[in-house]
């Protein structure tokens, strides 16, 4: 075990974040730490690194375990050094060695026959070689480039970069340090899609363990093999990615509801018995026994979500014409940087467009051109009856600083009631006393959420959204997705949240070679198309290479004698293939038997979990729940193996005819 919690309770003021919770982090694990905003995910990371101390229990850190912790507070770091030098700071010992070797080299120039110096010089060189010190510059440049930096950026001072780019430098430094345990708090917040994809590939082959706090469910689905959920002051562990967690949690909630209902029936039965026989002398002892049973009972809580099941509803006042916006021969250049040149495109009624691509390609610039707040060359033609609303970070400046949250929403002229507005604010993570806060006391993220809420209630029929999911948790993103899918107007959006894009867009725009390239379809279909195109290109290249090789060896082949008859060989091959097929069929049968046995065992375990008696013994309940989880994981693995074996058998049978 690298680190973890043993029966830890942590209280922040009067509020308990976790109570009596245990969590062990083992080598080579990739863990997603999830929970609603405010449940204490970042706090738990601080507990792991020792910034906070538990109220009760023990935080375990193995003596030799090195921990790297990437968090948003690191942005306060500032320096005039180049970003290359900052990232190279990961190799402290190697950098010190470089100086020592340089100094010894100077001494040897003056006294090249000093044996002690020569031995020392040799030892330092050997240590440098052992630490792979001669490759640190190459490694550092490779990782910085993977995270989106150009070669020309590497020598620029760190202080010249924005917060998002600074975070990338610090992430690069942490990756280069290669700690045993890497703690990442929202690592994708400041990354564009190519950089996120690079990070995914890197972390998949990372030798240490990784704990990730993220609201990016696409990232979690691809990255993690275990989910730890902070829920109702406890840590709930699920084996699998985020999608598996969702399915499994639903099953657990159903089981808990059954167990709760069974226990409530038991309690009511016991209470009726006590009420009926308490006064009877002959039954008094039995009634007292029943009372003691109830007193000792570990009460099962009814399964409830921490967040209410609320909805965001859009409304539009008027229907626009067929074409909402037309761009004709549009050009936009920033000195030497060319965004688009003579580009044309149309946005039609019903379009829900995602504008994707790497940072610096001009996505937000193009969005501002469409919104009419950015200068450009060419023509932007607005359609009939278009009522637009534009959400971007600059909207924050137009908020009324002395307004309360509720008053600010009322400035939109909406006909919604105070209760409806309060419900909407709840969707954007504002509740209770937050409603009466003044805008001026809010953080940047909170102001962004208010600006987004204003955009939503505007009754516009055309929405332009620049990174709308920033500062939202996964539940709020899901509510926004649901609302946008029901929305009868048109949308164009910029987002690095791939799950959000995959669930909302019916068209994809990408700026390629200074042109707007359109793909008619969802983000998932777009990725599949890109993959097919890449495979086609690779196959074409390979085909050309094979053709050239054939031409080269044609002469040699022609000189070879005619091949011997292959009838006998074919018989042998068929015989061997039949043997292999029979083997695979036996494996398939064995897997079927295992699946049946595991399914029966799982059903039996479900019955135990539904029995109130199981919950009267806390240790027994925990053991039963763990056994159930183990059986669920085994069954999932067996089904995966069965599918693979079945496909193999079918393939072999088709080949044999």
């Amino acid at each position: 075990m690298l680190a973890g919690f043993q029966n830890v309770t942590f209280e922040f003021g009067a509020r308990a974040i976790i109570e009596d919770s245990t969590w062990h982090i083992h080598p080579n694990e990739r863990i997603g730490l999830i929970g609603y905003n405010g449940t204490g995910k970042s706090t738990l990371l601080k507990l792991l690194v020792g910034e906070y101390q538990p109220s009760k229990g023990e935080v375990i850190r193995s003596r030799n375990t090195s921990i790297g912790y990437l968090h948003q507070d690191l942005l306060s770091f500032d320096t005039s050094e180049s970003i290359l030098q900052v990232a190279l700071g990961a190799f402290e010992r190697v950098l010190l060695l470089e100086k020592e070797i340089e100094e010894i080299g100077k001494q040897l120039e003056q006294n090249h026959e000093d044996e002690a110096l020569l031995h020392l010089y040799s030892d330092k060189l050997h240590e440098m070689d052992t630490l792979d010190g001669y490759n640190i510059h190459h490694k550092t440049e490779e990782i910085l480039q993977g995270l989106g930096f150009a070669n020309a950026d590497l020598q620029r001072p760190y202080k010249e970069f924005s917060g998002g780019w600074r975070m990338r430098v610090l992430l690069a430094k942490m990756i280069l340090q290669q700690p045993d345990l890497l703690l990442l708090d929202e690592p994708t917040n400041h990354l564009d899609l190519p950089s996120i994809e690079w990070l995914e590939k890197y972390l998949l082959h990372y030798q240490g363990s990784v704990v990730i706090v993220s609201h990016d469910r696409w990232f979690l689905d691809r990255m993690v093999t275990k989910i730890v959920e902070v829920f109702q002051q406890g840590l709930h562990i699920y084996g699998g990615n985020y999608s598996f967690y969702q399915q499994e949690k639903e099953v657990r909630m159903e089981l808990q509801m059954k167990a709760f209902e069974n226990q409530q029936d038991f309690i009511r039965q016991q209470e009726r018995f006590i009420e009926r026989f308490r006064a009877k002398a002959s039954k008094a002892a039995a009634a007292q026994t029943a009372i003691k049973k109830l007193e000792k009972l570990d009460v099962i809580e009814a399964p409830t979500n921490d967040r209410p099941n609320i909805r965001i509803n859009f409304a539009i006042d008027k229907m626009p014409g067929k074409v909402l916006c037309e761009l004709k021969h549009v050009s936009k250049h920033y000195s030497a940087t060319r965004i688009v040149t003579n580009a044309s495109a149309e946005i039609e009624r019903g379009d829900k467009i995602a504008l994707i691509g790497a940072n610096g390609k001009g996505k937000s610039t193009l969005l501002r051109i469409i919104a009419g707040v950015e200068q450009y060359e060419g023509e932007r033609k607005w359609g009939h009856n278009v009522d637009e609303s534009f959400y971007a970070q600059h909207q924050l400046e137009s908020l009324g600083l002395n307004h309360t949250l509720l008053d600010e929403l009322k400035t939109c002229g909406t006909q919604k009631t105070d209760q409806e507005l309060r419900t909407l604010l709840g969707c954007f993570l504002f509740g209770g006393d937050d409603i009466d806060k003044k805008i001026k006391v809010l953080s940047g993220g909170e102001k962004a959420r208010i600006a987004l809420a204003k955009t939503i209630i505007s009754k516009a029929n055309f929405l332009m959204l620049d990174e709308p999911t920033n500062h939202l948790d996964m539940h709020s993103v899901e509510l926004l997705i649901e609302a946008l899918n029901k929305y009868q107007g048109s949308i164009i959006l910029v987002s690095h949240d791939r799950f959000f894009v995959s669930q909302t867009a019916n068209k994809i725009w990408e700026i390629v070679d200074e042109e707007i390239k359109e793909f008619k379809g969802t983000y998932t279909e777009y990725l599949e198309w890109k993959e097919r195109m890449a495979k086609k290109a690779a196959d074409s290249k390979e085909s050309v290479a094979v053709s050239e090789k054939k031409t080269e060896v044609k002469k040699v082949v022609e000189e070879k004698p005619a091949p011997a008859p292959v009838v006998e060989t074919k018989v042998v091959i068929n015989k061997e293939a039949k043997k292999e097929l029979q083997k695979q069929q036996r494996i398939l049968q064995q897997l079927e038997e295992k699946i049946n046995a595991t399914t029966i065992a799982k059903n039996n375990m479900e019955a135990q979990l539904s029995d109130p008696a199981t919950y009267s013994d806390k240790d027994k309940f925990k053991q039963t729940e763990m056994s159930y989880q183990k059986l669920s994981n085994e069954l999932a693995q067996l089904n995966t193996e069965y599918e693979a074996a079945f496909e193999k058998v079918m393939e072999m049978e088709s080949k044999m005819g």
Side-chain angles (χ1 to χ4, degrees):
M1 185 178 69
L2 299 175
F5 301 149
Q6 191 66 41
N7 304 119
V8 166
T9 295
F10 181 75
E11 294 160 342
F12 209 84
R15 177 180 159 232
I17 303 296
I18 54 171
E19 292 179 343
D20 195 28
S21 296
T22 296
W23 170 30
H24 296 159
I25 302 169
H26 299 283
N28 302 313
E29 284 191 321
R30 295 196 305 276
I31 302 165
L33 182 60
I34 67 168
Y36 295 127
N37 274 10
T39 52
K41 302 183 295 295
S42 297
T43 301
L44 295 185
L45 296 185
K46 290 178 179 178
L47 270 171
L48 281 171
V49 296
E51 288 188 24
Y52 292 152
Q53 298 303 316
S55 309
K56 293 178 185 174
E58 183 185 4
V59 176
I60 304 161
R61 287 182 292 277
S62 178
R63 184 182 295 177
N64 298 319
T65 298
S66 56
I67 300 177
Y69 177 29
L70 181 81
H71 52 96
Q72 307 305 309
D73 296 344
L74 289 171
L75 290 176
S76 59
F77 170 74
D78 200 10
T79 179
S80 297
E81 287 186 330
S82 71
I83 62 169
L84 182 62
Q85 284 302 316
V86 172
L88 282 168
F91 305 102
E92 288 183 20
R93 177 58 191 155
V94 173
L95 294 175
L96 182 63
L97 268 174
E98 282 180 346
K99 290 179 180 177
E100 289 176 351
I101 289 168
E102 187 181 357
E103 183 60 36
I104 296 168
K106 288 177 181 177
Q107 292 178 36
L108 283 170
E109 285 177 6
Q110 298 174 358
N111 190 2
H112 57 272
E113 294 182 358
D114 190 324
E115 287 193 16
L117 270 179
L118 284 167
H119 282 301
L120 183 60
Y121 190 68
S122 177
D123 289 345
K124 298 293 182 184
L125 290 174
H126 178 71
E127 187 181 354
M128 178 70 85
D129 192 47
T130 304
L131 295 172
D132 197 25
Y134 300 108
N135 291 318
I136 65 170
H137 288 265
H138 171 71
K139 285 180 183 176
T140 306
E141 288 170 8
E142 190 177 43
I143 286 177
L144 285 170
Q145 287 163 8
L147 289 170
F149 291 97
N151 274 330
D153 293 328
L154 301 185
Q155 298 302 330
R156 283 178 57 195
Y158 174 85
K159 64 190 306 177
E160 288 184 4
F161 290 86
S162 65
W165 288 98
R166 289 185 181 195
M167 188 59 76
R168 294 187 192 207
V169 177
L170 299 176
L171 175 59
K173 181 181 177 181
M174 202 153 294
I175 287 171
L176 288 162
Q177 286 172 331
Q178 293 189 311
D180 301 311
L181 175 59
L182 193 55
L183 308 178
L184 303 177
D185 196 354
E186 298 290 354
T188 64
N189 264 6
H190 304 289
L191 302 181
D192 57 13
L193 287 179
S195 299
I196 293 171
E197 288 166 359
W198 179 90
L199 182 62
E200 284 175 350
K201 288 175 184 173
Y202 187 88
L203 291 179
L204 283 170
H205 298 95
Y206 190 72
Q207 295 301 306
S209 293
V210 186
V211 177
I212 302 166
V213 173
S214 179
H215 293 142
D216 186 335
R217 32 184 304 177
W218 191 294
F219 183 69
L220 289 176
D221 257 349
R222 291 168 68 90
M223 287 308 307
V224 306
T225 54
K226 182 184 285 186
I227 292 287
V228 177
E229 182 190 25
V230 189
F231 183 66
Q232 295 179 338
Q233 291 76 52
L235 296 178
H236 303 264
I237 299 171
Y238 300 80
N241 61 10
Y242 187 83
S243 294
F244 177 83
Y245 148 78
Q246 282 190 305
Q247 297 167 4
E248 191 64 20
K249 184 170 183 179
E250 196 173 323
V251 172
R252 289 194 190 186
M253 296 285 273
E254 286 175 5
L255 288 170
Q256 191 179 341
M257 179 55 78
K258 285 180 186 175
F260 169 76
E261 289 170 351
N262 288 341
Q263 191 182 65
Q264 290 301 305
D265 287 342
F266 173 78
I267 290 169
R268 282 192 291 270
Q269 185 186 29
Q270 295 296 310
E271 285 175 342
R272 283 196 298 269
F273 178 85
I274 294 163
E275 189 67 29
R276 189 173 176 185
F277 296 112
R278 179 183 274 169
K280 291 190 178 182
S282 61
K283 297 287 186 180
Q288 285 299 316
T289 302
I291 291 169
K292 286 177 182 177
K293 266 188 189 178
L294 288 181
E295 287 173 350
K296 290 179 181 178
L297 198 66
D298 283 336
V299 178
I300 301 168
E301 299 289 337
T304 55
N305 287 315
D306 286 350
R307 298 283 294 277
N309 193 21
I310 50 186
R311 296 287 180 267
I312 303 172
N313 294 310
F314 288 98
I316 61 175
D317 271 350
K318 52 192 178 185
M319 190 63 67
K322 186 183 177 184
V323 178
L324 281 78
C325 181
E326 188 178 2
L327 301 177
K328 289 185 176 180
H329 311 296
V330 170
S331 297
K332 178 66 183 178
H333 305 154
Y334 289 110
S335 60
T337 305
R338 306 172 77 86
I339 305 298
V340 288
T341 302
N342 201 30
S344 299
E346 275 187 358
I347 300 171
E348 298 179 343
R349 186 176 62 234
D351 279 350
K352 294 179 179 179
I353 301 167
L355 189 50
I356 68 168
N359 282 353
K361 292 291 184 182
K363 301 184 299 295
S364 295
T365 302
L366 182 58
L367 199 64
R368 290 195 299 273
I369 289 171
I370 295 167
V373 297
E374 181 79 36
Q375 291 185 345
Y376 60 94
E377 296 173 11
E379 184 183 357
R380 184 202 64 150
K381 191 177 176 183
W382 217 237
H384 173 69
N385 234 10
V386 176
D387 187 4
E388 81 279 10
S389 184
F390 180 36
Y391 168 77
Q393 290 296 309
H394 77 269
Q395 302 287 111
L396 277 57
E397 299 167 8
S398 63
L399 297 174
L401 296 180
N402 291 314
H403 286 164
T404 65
L405 273 62
L406 202 61
D407 291 338
E408 185 63 23
L409 291 191
K410 288 179 180 177
T411 62
C412 299
T414 176
Q415 301 303 308
K416 291 183 181 288
T417 65
D418 282 11
Q419 186 54 49
E420 286 174 325
L421 292 176
R422 287 176 180 272
T423 300
L424 178 66
L425 285 167
C427 298
F428 290 96
L429 313 179
F430 296 108
D433 296 337
D434 292 337
I435 310 297
D436 300 316
K437 282 183 179 177
K438 295 285 182 72
I439 299 292
K440 62 184 178 185
V441 304
L442 300 181
S443 67
E446 289 170 328
K447 287 176 181 174
R449 297 204 299 270
I450 288 295
L452 181 57
K454 285 182 68 178
T455 303
I456 285 169
I457 61 172
S458 64
K459 294 189 177 181
N461 54 31
F462 180 39
L463 300 178
M464 294 161 283
L465 308 173
D466 193 357
E467 296 290 356
T469 65
N470 279 0
H471 315 293
L472 297 181
D473 66 5
M474 278 188 276
H475 183 70
S476 298
V477 172
E478 286 168 5
L479 293 176
L480 185 58
I481 288 169
E482 186 182 341
L484 290 173
N485 286 333
K486 291 178 181 176
Y487 177 58
Q488 294 180 347
S490 303
I491 307 163
I492 183 166
L493 60 91
V494 173
S495 178
H496 293 143
D497 187 327
R498 291 166 294 176
F499 177 75
F500 177 71
V501 170
S502 71
Q503 298 298 304
T504 53
N506 57 23
K507 281 186 182 179
I508 305 296
W509 280 14
E510 189 175 9
I511 301 172
V512 180
D513 298 329
E514 302 169 32
E515 294 181 357
I516 301 168
K517 301 290 187 182
E518 182 178 278
F519 176 85
K520 294 180 179 177
T522 65
Y523 183 66
T524 304
E525 289 168 340
Y526 166 78
L527 291 178
E528 289 170 353
W529 173 78
K530 291 271 283 190
E531 194 174 326
R532 284 199 305 274
M533 292 300 100
K535 189 175 184 302
K536 192 175 177 181
D539 289 347
S540 177
K541 193 175 178 181
E542 188 179 338
S543 177
V544 170
V546 169
S547 178
E548 289 174 353
K549 192 173 180 181
K550 281 182 178 177
T551 303
E552 288 174 9
V553 301
K554 188 177 179 183
K555 210 170 180 180
V556 178
V557 172
E558 286 173 351
E559 290 173 0
K560 282 187 176 181
V566 294
V567 178
E568 292 180 11
T569 308
K570 190 175 179 182
V571 171
V572 173
I573 290 169
N574 284 343
K575 194 174 177 182
E576 290 297 319
K578 194 174 179 181
K579 223 170 151 183
E580 181 61 27
L581 177 61
Q582 289 171 345
K583 181 185 172 184
Q584 291 302 322
Q585 286 172 333
R586 284 196 300 274
I587 291 171
L588 195 66
Q589 189 179 352
Q590 289 168 1
L591 284 168
E592 281 180 353
E593 291 168 359
K594 284 181 182 178
I595 287 170
N596 291 334
T598 308
T599 303
I600 293 167
K602 188 186 174 189
N603 292 338
N604 291 337
M605 202 63 69
E606 283 182 4
Q608 288 184 46
L609 285 167
S610 301
D611 186 358
T614 305
Y615 297 86
S616 61
D617 186 340
K618 193 174 180 181
D619 292 332
K620 186 182 177 183
F621 168 69
K622 280 187 177 179
Q623 187 60 45
T624 307
E625 192 181 37
M626 284 172 64
S627 299
Y628 175 78
Q629 183 62 53
K630 188 180 175 184
L631 284 168
S632 296
N633 293 341
E634 284 176 4
L635 189 59
Q637 181 62 34
L638 284 168
N639 281 320
T640 303
E641 290 175 14
Y642 181 85
E643 287 174 17
F646 183 81
E647 285 179 7
K648 193 169 182 179
V649 167
M650 293 297 291
E651 187 184 345
M652 291 176 74
E653 285 178 347
S654 67
K655 283 182 180 177
M656 291 182 67

